[in-house]
Amino acid sequence: MNDTTSEDPVPETDPDRDPNHYHLRLYVAGQTTKSLAAMTNLKRFCEEHLAGRYDIEVADLMKNPQLAAGDQILAIPTLVRRLPSPLKRIIGDLSNTEKVLVGLDIRPRADQP
């Protein structure tokens, strides 16, 4: 049994071959307010900025806490961008769209040229 769930279990593109495809893993701990907010914000963010180019995997650490060691998760909720490389982590409920865009390298920081 796989203890992770996927919001989009069958990606339409092969993420290993498409450099523009985003594979995101969201670490949560049950159905807390912050976890639910992070899931809602992530789905909204992906539909607005990555439509058709992403898949989301949700890892519930209440069901499978050993998953935290693999991506060195120290706080929850944490979003991990596994693809494209390099791996990136964003901690929090993902309510700040600008921070998420910059954190995932979709938009450069305002102070960079």
Side-chain angles (χ1 to χ4, degrees), residues 52-106:
R53 300 186 297 130
Y54 72 93
D55 63 277
I56 300 171
E57 182 181 358
V58 178
D60 188 344
L61 298 181
M62 295 294 282
K63 295 179 182 175
N64 202 349
Q66 68 271 18
L67 289 176
D71 280 326
Q72 301 175 342
I73 303 303
L74 303 174
I76 49 174
T78 296
L79 174 65
V80 176
R81 182 188 80 180
R82 299 180 68 80
L83 289 174
S85 296
L87 189 137
K88 296 270 188 164
R89 293 179 189 86
I90 300 173
I91 297 171
D93 66 3
L94 310 175
S95 59
N96 185 331
T97 301
E98 187 66 26
K99 180 180 172 184
V100 175
L101 289 172
V102 171
L104 295 178
D105 291 336
I106 293 172

Side-chain angles (χ1 to χ4, degrees), residues 5-43:
T5 59
S6 176
E7 299 294 321
D8 189 9
V10 182
E12 294 184 15
T13 59
D14 184 351
D16 293 333
R17 294 183 183 176
D18 184 357
N20 294 318
H21 187 88
Y22 282 74
H23 179 75
L24 306 170
R25 181 180 287 173
L26 180 63
Y27 288 91
V28 297
Q31 301 287 314
T32 65
T33 303
K34 278 191 170 186
S35 295
L36 294 173
M39 285 189 258
T40 301
N41 289 330
L42 180 59
K43 287 179 188 175

